[in-house]
Amino acid sequence: MRRLWYFLEKILPARLTTRIMISMVFIVTLAGIITTLAINQILAHSLIQEEINSGRAITTSLGENLANSLVEGNLASIQDSLNNILASNSDLVYIFTFGPHTPIVHTFPNGFPRDLFALINSQNYSSGILLKTENGLVRDFKYLPLDGSNAEVHVGISENRIQAEQRQVTAIVLGLTAIGCILAAIATYFLSRLTTYPLVELTHRVHQLGEGQLNERISYTAGDEVGELASAFNTMADKIQAAIQRLSVSEAGYRTLLSAASEVGEGIALISEQNGKDGTLLFVNHTFANLVGFQPQDLIGLNIASVLSPDSLDRAYAAWESIHSGESQTGIIELTLAGRHGESHIVETASTRIEYQDSAAIVWFLRDITERKMREQELRLRNRELSALNAVAFAMSEPYSPDMLQRGLHEALQALELNIGWVTVLDTNGNGHVAACEGMQFCSLPTRFPNCPCGRSLLNGTLALVTVNEECLLNSSIEIPTLGLQHATVPLGRPEKMLGALSVAYSMPRSFDEHNLRLLSAIGRQMGIALENAHLWEELRLKEQLHSELLASSLHVQEGERKRIARELHDATGQSLSAIMFGLKAVENAIQNDPLHIQPLVARLKSAVSDTVRELQGIIYDLRPSVLDDLGLVPALRWYAESHLGREGVKVVWEITGKERRLPSEIETALFRIAQEAITNIYKYAKANQVDFLITFGDSVVNLKIKDDGDGFDVADTLGHHSQDGRGLGLLGMRERAELLHGKFWVESSIGSGTCIIVELPLQMDEIAL
Amino acid sequence: MSMSRRSLPFIAWLSVFFLVACGAKPDLVVNLSENLEQDVVWPKINNSADWQIAFDPRLEPKDDVRQVASLAGWLEKQSGLSFGVYIPTANISVVDSICTGKAAFAVVGTVSYLQAHQQCDAHILVRGLNAEGSDTYRAAIIVAPDSPLQTITDLKGHSFAFGAINSTQGNLIPRLMLEHAGLTLEDFRNYIYTGSHAATANAVTSHHVDAGALQDTLAMALAKRGLVRILALSEPYPSSGIIVAPNVPATISSLIQETLLKLDPTGKDASALYEWWRTEMPLGFVRASDEEYEDLRKIALIIGILSP
């Protein structure tokens, strides 16, 4: 039954009016067909029965009429009767008869059909025998007029008329049925239209209601079922209007909430919940739409998969599946959105389930954390860099040594996740050697270094990516094939002071990515800094050692000077003061006892004081000649040179170039002390005959050159053994003074060729001009 | 919904119309236009009865045949023998059929019996009982109801109709009546032999003849309806009966005789008989003998029905 119903539902039109029409037509047709069939059968039966009755009557009557003639053998009478009967009834096809003593008398004009012999002496059927002839069906009726004798009367009656009538009646009935169907269809159409008009009206109102025209009502007050339906519709519309009003208020609240969420940067989307997999976007706020580069209206109706990155689909679906399975909300999940132009946005999402427009939906909250992720990534990279740099710095946080570089190289390779690397170090002459290597069998720089490709980084001061060639260090240092290998080389140090290079390579043909290159550069800088620091530490250590020696020397000199001053003070000034004291006591006594001796005493005291003062001035002058402060450098140098070299018989030659002028005090003091030390060394060690002083006053520098023709000395040896030779300390002191004032100091000397001291000090703007 | 689906109901609706008529199945297929027999066709006669019963034409031939056929059927049932009807022709009379052996038995009138007895020594087995239960019958002379004739003697000079020439009631007894009234055939203006009582009655009622002679029962029936007026009624004479041919074995003859005596035409055997009340033995049969017809035999000789 259900199958029949389903079949009917499939083939029948949807319109009620059409269905009613079809039903009515079907009913009328069915009734017509049944009627036709019934009438057909009844008519056929009736006509056939009538025919049979008629045939039997005709045959019986004819038989009765012919009986006597058959008995008497009155053939003429019989033939005449047959012909008359045949002529009088158009339904008769033939008549034949025979009697006990007569041949067959028949009405066939051309001879008796032999096929009819079968009817003679055959069983007599009350309804005759139906024959099929070339002219249609013929029913043969047989009558035995003379019981017990061989006499038969056969009448053949055509059934064509019956069939014609049958067809005619059938056609009439079917025609009437068809007319009835048409009339029924028309009547049904109008009736159904009349009936369904209120329903159509109701449907129209429902459509209007569905389109939002909530004020529409139906004014159909009939007391029938449609009237009840109209009343129910009006009630429903009232309730819907009230519900929509409440919904609007609620939705306004939701929209306000969503808008507020948009303003704080929260993206919100509503996804239809269909089996937890196939979600259609029902609503998105501007934040969400902007995130993926669309307008909100463009996204409505799209599948959520169109805005999700393929690698996030499974996680999203799993989360929503959990909601579909009963969880109220998901935890925070990170997903990737695919923007309209291919950009990706990493978002934090959380989902929950709500009812939206009477159907289940998933509310999807998301926040763009792309920037945060990038920063985190950046931070991780930075951390990695810092860790790498820390490791490198820690590894190299010690005085310079090959082990330091090896450890630094190892940490660098660890940080870069590489296993082949080497460190090239330059000496003071610019020659390089491999100070550390790892992942290589032997390390020796190519002969062209640093003019080879990797040495170019040293020349340019930039990172170089070098494809390994036959002259490359790597080509001969590893067992693996170097075809296609590439190594990266970063300089260590500053462009103005290159210390070496760090080179690293993959053990397979692979390109260096930007991060690794950046990290390598950072490591290079760190390593360079560490290397430079190591050098500086070494220099500092040396300098501090020198300083200590200088300080010790200075202290020693100071102590010597103090001793000298103390001796001179003690020997001269002290005694003079003591004499003065005695003299004063004598005066005191004289005042009391001998006032007359006061004056000579005072005169002697004055002379003693003058001598003492003179002695003190000599001491003071030796400490710091006032001429330096009063007259300047040149007069002070002249005085000192004359006083110390001249008295030794050394000829002093002066050459002053430039605009002689007063220099800042510290410049003059430094130049004076340097010259003082040089002069001291000359008269102590040089055994010179002549000393040339050349002072050049420039605009921005002052140059002092002191050249003697003495014995000279080995400068490196003297400086290297300064602790054993005071001259070495003196030279270091001179250099220290010059460098303290950002100047330069040279000493040129060789044994037997004299010595030349050159000092160049920069001048400041606020010098005093003569 | 596709067009084919939409048209399905309409097609179904139309096709039903063509399924309405259903024709009968013919019993036989014949061709009436071919295989024709040009010559005179005699049907194959199926006449397998052992014993034939002939008859004297009395009523219309068909009635005579039916009545005898019904009797034959009854005899067949009663005796177990097969009986058929032998229809005398113009060439072969009932007497000839008995005497030539074509018929074994015959339902005859007195004249035919007398002739058969004379010709071939046929014997009478039984004689019929008329409607009054009498084994005699009479003849009646009738006239039209409006006829002026009142007595037999008035018939002189008028036309007259006899029945069959061998009819007892239609010829033999009326001849006696005329003779007793002093009339001969020459006294008539004209006379005819109609061949049967019914034809005689028709001739009188239609005024073809002025008077006619027929069986009393028919005359009285017609007179009762006012169709004729009985002019005169004869004396009772032994009625018709059933004779047996001389070549029939005595056992068969005796069996048939005894069987006929048991006929109850108005009782249990009424349905087996065809309009037996119209016969001359409506109430059955009584035993008869040749001796009982001696008087009639003599009369028949006199009037020339029997040849001397």
Side-chain angles (χ1 to χ4, degrees):
Chain A
M1 195 63 192
R2 285 180 66 182
R3 282 191 178 179
L4 174 64
W5 187 254
Y6 177 69
F7 174 72
L8 290 175
E9 275 293 321
K10 278 188 75 174
I11 65 170
L12 287 177
R15 300 291 301 176
L16 185 61
T17 302
T18 312
R19 285 192 175 190
I20 293 174
M21 284 173 59
I22 290 176
S23 302
M24 190 56 65
V25 168
F26 177 75
I27 291 170
V28 172
T29 304
L30 190 64
I33 291 169
I34 294 173
T35 305
T36 304
L37 285 172
I39 291 176
N40 201 340
Q41 292 301 311
I42 293 171
L43 180 65
H45 178 76
S46 174
L47 290 176
I48 290 173
Q49 196 59 45
E50 179 193 332
E51 183 203 44
I52 292 172
N53 294 337
S54 172
R56 281 214 299 261
I58 292 173
T59 309
T60 303
S61 172
L62 183 60
E64 290 296 313
N65 289 334
L66 295 176
N68 291 333
S69 298
L70 288 171
V71 172
E72 295 169 350
N74 194 346
L75 297 181
S77 174
I78 294 171
Q79 185 71 63
D80 192 48
S81 295
L82 295 188
N83 294 339
N84 290 336
I85 296 297
L86 188 71
S88 66
N89 194 327
S90 58
D91 289 335
L92 300 183
V93 177
Y94 64 82
I95 309 171
F96 71 89
T97 184
F98 61 89
H101 306 294
T102 67
I104 295 176
V105 183
H106 57 84
T107 59
F108 294 101
N110 300 319
F112 187 76
R114 293 190 181 88
D115 289 345
L116 294 181
F117 286 148
L119 299 175
I120 298 173
N121 293 324
S122 65
Q123 186 177 356
N124 193 8
Y125 292 97
S126 61
S127 59
I129 296 177
L130 191 60
L131 308 177
K132 184 177 179 183
T133 72
E134 67 275 16
N135 295 321
L137 293 178
V138 175
R139 191 174 295 273
D140 179 272
F141 295 92
K142 173 176 164 181
Y143 181 66
L144 304 177
L146 304 172
D147 297 337
S149 299
N150 286 319
E152 294 181 8
V153 177
H154 290 263
V155 177
I157 301 179
S158 172
E159 293 204 338
N160 289 343
R161 183 177 62 86
I162 292 176
Q163 291 180 347
E165 283 189 17
Q166 206 174 352
R167 282 193 293 271
Q168 186 179 14
V169 171
T170 301
I172 290 172
V173 176
L174 290 180
L176 291 175
T177 302
I179 293 172
C181 287
I182 295 170
L183 293 176
I186 294 171
T188 306
Y189 174 76
F190 285 107
L191 188 61
S192 65
R193 290 283 293 181
L194 192 64
T195 306
T196 60
Y197 173 75
L199 295 176
V200 170
E201 181 66 22
L202 182 62
T203 304
H204 177 64
R205 290 282 183 258
V206 170
H207 281 306
Q208 286 181 325
L209 186 67
E211 289 170 2
Q213 300 177 30
L214 302 178
N215 296 321
E216 293 294 334
R217 299 293 182 270
I218 296 178
S219 58
Y220 186 79
T221 58
D224 57 7
E225 290 85 344
V226 178
E228 291 178 5
L229 182 62
S231 176
F233 169 79
N234 290 335
T235 305
M236 179 192 73
D238 291 337
K239 292 184 179 177
I240 288 175
Q241 192 172 19
I244 288 177
Q245 182 65 27
R246 292 194 297 274
L247 195 63
S248 297
V249 172
S250 174
E251 197 167 8
Y254 273 119
R255 291 191 185 279
T256 303
L257 175 64
L258 296 177
S259 175
S262 291
E263 291 190 6
V264 298
E266 291 281 345
I268 298 175
L270 290 179
I271 306 168
S272 68
E273 189 186 7
Q274 296 177 7
N275 300 320
K277 278 278 186 184
D278 185 16
T280 304
L281 288 168
L282 304 175
F283 169 80
V284 297
N285 64 352
H286 284 283
T287 302
F288 185 99
N290 292 337
L291 205 56
V292 291
F294 284 92
Q295 294 294 322
Q297 58 269 22
D298 297 336
L299 291 172
I300 303 301
L302 290 184
N303 192 283
I304 191 62
S306 59
V307 296
L308 274 174
S309 175
D311 55 3
S312 295
L313 284 175
D314 288 339
R315 286 202 304 280
Y317 286 145
W320 297 332
E321 184 64 32
S322 67
I323 290 179
H324 182 68
S325 303
E327 288 188 23
S328 61
Q329 62 185 34
T330 65
I332 294 180
I333 301 169
E334 285 187 8
L335 301 172
T336 304
L337 294 181
R340 187 176 190 175
H341 306 292
E343 67 279 16
S344 295
H345 296 275
I346 301 174
V347 291
E348 269 182 343
T349 70
S351 306
T352 186
R353 196 180 191 189
I354 64 166
E355 289 289 324
Y356 181 74
Q357 295 179 352
D358 296 328
S359 59
I362 294 176
V363 180
W364 195 32
F365 298 94
L366 49 84
R367 184 183 300 139
D368 188 5
I369 58 170
T370 306
E371 199 173 323
R372 190 181 81 189
K373 283 293 184 185
M374 287 172 59
R375 287 198 295 270
E376 288 177 358
Q377 178 68 10
E378 194 70 26
L379 195 61
R380 278 195 294 275
L381 293 175
R382 291 287 178 222
N383 284 340
R384 182 183 168 202
E385 285 184 12
L386 284 175
S387 298
L389 294 174
N390 278 343
V392 171
F394 182 76
M396 297 183 70
S397 60
E398 61 183 47
Y400 173 79
S401 70
D403 286 342
M404 175 200 77
L405 286 176
Q406 192 67 45
R407 282 193 293 276
L409 172 64
H410 179 73
E411 292 300 331
L413 290 177
Q414 290 285 316
L416 293 168
E417 297 176 352
L418 300 172
N419 50 17
I420 297 176
W422 67 97
V423 179
T424 307
V425 174
L426 296 178
D427 60 20
T428 53
N429 296 324
N431 298 318
H433 70 276
V434 178
C437 65
E438 186 171 320
M440 302 161 69
Q441 288 179 321
F442 49 88
C443 317
S444 62
L445 286 177
T447 55
R448 286 183 59 204
F449 184 85
N451 292 317
C452 62
C454 61
R456 203 175 296 127
S457 69
L458 293 174
L459 299 176
N460 297 334
T462 58
L463 183 145
L465 287 174
V466 180
T467 301
V468 177
N469 55 26
E470 59 274 2
E471 63 176 358
C472 185
L473 165 68
L474 201 59
N475 186 46
S476 56
S477 302
I478 56 176
E479 289 182 341
I480 62 176
T482 59
L483 180 65
L485 282 186
Q486 204 178 41
H487 71 80
T489 299
V490 291
L492 303 178
R494 294 171 283 123
E496 56 274 19
K497 189 178 181 180
M498 279 295 165
L499 302 176
L502 168 65
S503 300
V504 296
Y506 285 103
S507 58
M508 66 188 75
R510 183 178 166 182
S511 298
F512 287 88
D513 59 30
E514 182 184 340
H515 168 67
N516 265 359
L517 291 177
R518 195 170 63 232
L519 183 58
L520 178 63
S521 296
I523 291 174
R525 286 192 294 276
Q526 183 70 33
M527 193 176 280
I529 292 170
L531 192 61
E532 187 172 358
N533 284 346
H535 284 301
L536 288 174
W537 275 112
E538 184 65 19
E539 281 185 22
L540 186 63
R541 187 186 66 77
L542 291 175
K543 284 189 177 177
E544 281 194 353
Q545 184 179 354
L546 183 61
H547 282 160
S548 297
E549 291 173 352
L550 282 175
L551 183 63
S553 173
S554 176
L555 290 175
H556 179 74
V557 168
Q558 285 180 2
E559 285 300 317
E561 195 71 12
R562 286 197 182 103
K563 282 182 184 176
R564 187 184 63 80
I565 294 170
R567 186 175 59 251
E568 286 183 6
L569 287 174
H570 177 269
D571 292 342
T573 309
Q575 290 181 358
S576 296
L577 289 175
S578 293
I580 293 172
M581 178 64 74
F582 286 118
L584 287 174
K585 279 187 176 177
V587 170
E588 190 178 39
N589 287 330
I591 292 174
Q592 288 182 354
N593 302 320
D594 190 6
L596 293 175
H597 281 98
I598 296 174
Q599 189 168 7
L601 285 171
V602 167
R604 278 201 299 268
L605 284 171
K606 283 177 60 181
S607 175
V609 168
S610 295
D611 291 336
T612 303
V613 168
R614 218 175 11 256
E615 285 170 4
L616 285 172
Q617 284 179 345
I619 293 169
I620 294 168
Y621 205 85
D622 282 340
L623 287 175
R624 182 174 176 87
S626 62
V627 61
L628 179 63
D629 296 325
D630 298 334
L631 299 179
L633 176 66
V634 173
L637 283 179
R638 284 181 184 272
W639 167 75
Y640 194 83
E642 291 295 337
S643 63
H644 287 79
L645 291 176
R647 73 179 182 206
E648 297 291 330
V650 178
K651 182 180 180 184
V652 180
V653 177
W654 294 94
E655 183 179 350
I656 310 298
T657 59
K659 187 178 179 184
E660 182 179 345
R661 57 188 185 275
R662 289 298 305 270
L663 300 174
S665 172
E666 62 274 11
I667 299 292
E668 291 185 337
T669 301
L671 289 174
F672 179 81
R673 293 299 180 198
I674 291 171
Q676 187 178 27
E677 183 67 28
I679 291 170
T680 300
N681 288 337
I682 291 174
Y683 73 73
K684 278 186 176 181
Y685 305 108
K687 298 174 183 176
N689 294 318
Q690 180 175 326
V691 178
D692 297 321
F693 288 82
L694 173 62
I695 302 174
T696 303
F697 288 88
D699 292 332
S700 60
V701 296
V702 59
N703 195 289
L704 171 63
K705 182 177 179 183
I706 304 173
K707 181 174 171 47
D708 69 69
D709 59 356
D711 294 337
F713 61 97
D714 187 340
V715 177
D717 183 61
T718 301
L719 288 175
H721 299 89
H722 55 79
S723 60
Q724 300 176 4
D725 188 336
R727 187 167 57 178
L729 286 175
L731 289 174
L732 290 174
M734 285 193 282
R735 173 176 293 172
E736 188 74 18
R737 285 184 184 276
E739 288 179 354
L740 279 173
L741 294 175
H742 307 292
K744 298 177 183 176
F745 175 83
W746 296 272
V747 57
E748 297 172 357
S749 180
S750 60
I751 296 177
S753 298
T755 303
C756 179
I757 302 293
I758 303 171
V759 180
E760 182 181 283
L761 297 180
L763 297 175
Q764 294 181 2
M765 297 300 291
D766 55 351
E767 60 174 327
I768 300 173
L770 284 175
Chain B
M1 191 186 289
S2 65
M3 281 301 294
S4 60
R5 276 198 173 175
R6 284 177 182 274
S7 60
L8 261 179
F10 181 69
I11 294 173
W13 182 71
L14 275 183
S15 61
V16 171
F17 285 86
F18 291 98
L19 300 176
V20 170
C22 60
K25 194 175 177 184
D27 301 314
L28 189 64
V29 179
V30 298
N31 192 314
L32 302 179
S33 306
E34 296 175 0
N35 194 20
L36 304 177
E37 182 62 60
Q38 304 290 339
D39 297 332
V40 175
V41 181
W42 288 89
K44 288 185 176 61
I45 296 175
N46 183 17
N47 195 2
S48 59
D50 296 329
W51 309 100
Q52 300 290 324
I53 302 178
F55 58 93
D56 246 341
R58 199 173 67 82
L59 302 172
E60 292 186 44
K62 63 181 180 183
D63 293 329
D64 291 333
V65 172
R66 290 169 186 163
Q67 286 174 350
V68 173
S70 68
L71 182 63
W74 180 82
L75 279 173
E76 192 169 291
K77 246 183 213 176
Q78 298 297 317
S79 64
L81 303 173
S82 66
F83 284 89
V85 177
Y86 182 83
I87 302 173
T89 64
N91 296 327
I92 303 176
S93 67
V94 62
V95 175
D96 293 335
S97 65
I98 286 291
C99 291
T100 59
K102 288 185 172 51
F105 301 91
V107 181
V108 295
T110 302
V111 173
S112 294
Y113 158 65
L114 292 173
Q115 290 176 340
H117 179 72
Q118 181 192 40
Q119 190 170 334
C120 60
D121 198 25
H123 299 287
I124 189 164
L125 295 177
V126 292
R127 183 165 66 242
L129 293 171
N130 62 14
E132 288 81 27
S134 170
D135 59 347
T136 59
Y137 55 18
R138 301 167 185 247
I141 296 176
I142 57 172
V143 294
D146 57 351
S147 171
L149 302 177
Q150 298 295 324
T151 63
I152 294 179
T153 53
D154 292 339
L155 294 173
K156 188 175 182 179
H158 289 87
S159 58
F160 194 85
F162 294 94
I165 196 167
N166 285 340
S167 171
T168 304
Q169 289 173 298
N171 187 27
L172 183 60
I173 296 177
R175 289 292 299 273
L176 278 174
M177 292 170 72
L178 290 172
E179 190 170 310
H180 288 162
L183 293 175
T184 62
L185 294 176
E186 293 73 23
D187 290 328
F188 294 118
R189 184 174 76 241
N190 60 331
Y191 62 93
I192 58 175
Y193 292 95
T194 63
S196 67
H197 300 303
T200 300
N202 287 335
V204 171
T205 56
S206 62
H207 296 282
H208 281 104
V209 296
D210 298 322
L214 67 166
Q215 66 181 170
D216 55 343
T217 53
L218 180 58
M220 284 190 284
L222 292 174
K224 193 173 181 182
R225 293 181 192 154
L227 295 176
V228 298
R229 178 163 56 83
I230 297 176
L231 190 67
L233 203 63
S234 71
E235 295 293 323
Y237 292 95
S239 60
S240 304
I242 296 178
I243 62 174
V244 60
N247 58 345
V248 175
T251 52
I252 300 300
S253 172
S254 177
L255 173 63
I256 297 306
Q257 185 183 39
E258 295 302 325
T259 303
L260 287 171
L261 289 174
K262 295 174 186 172
L263 182 68
D264 182 12
T266 59
K268 57 181 172 53
D269 300 323
S271 59
L273 302 173
Y274 172 79
E275 294 183 0
W276 200 253
W277 50 272
R278 295 177 62 198
T279 64
E280 292 180 346
M281 51 284 294
L283 296 183
F285 298 99
V286 295
R287 196 181 303 276
S289 65
D290 295 327
E291 293 73 26
E292 293 169 339
Y293 291 83
E294 199 57 38
D295 291 339
L296 288 176
R297 190 174 292 110
K298 291 175 181 175
I299 296 172
L301 281 170
I302 293 171
I303 61 175
I305 291 176
L306 294 177
S307 60

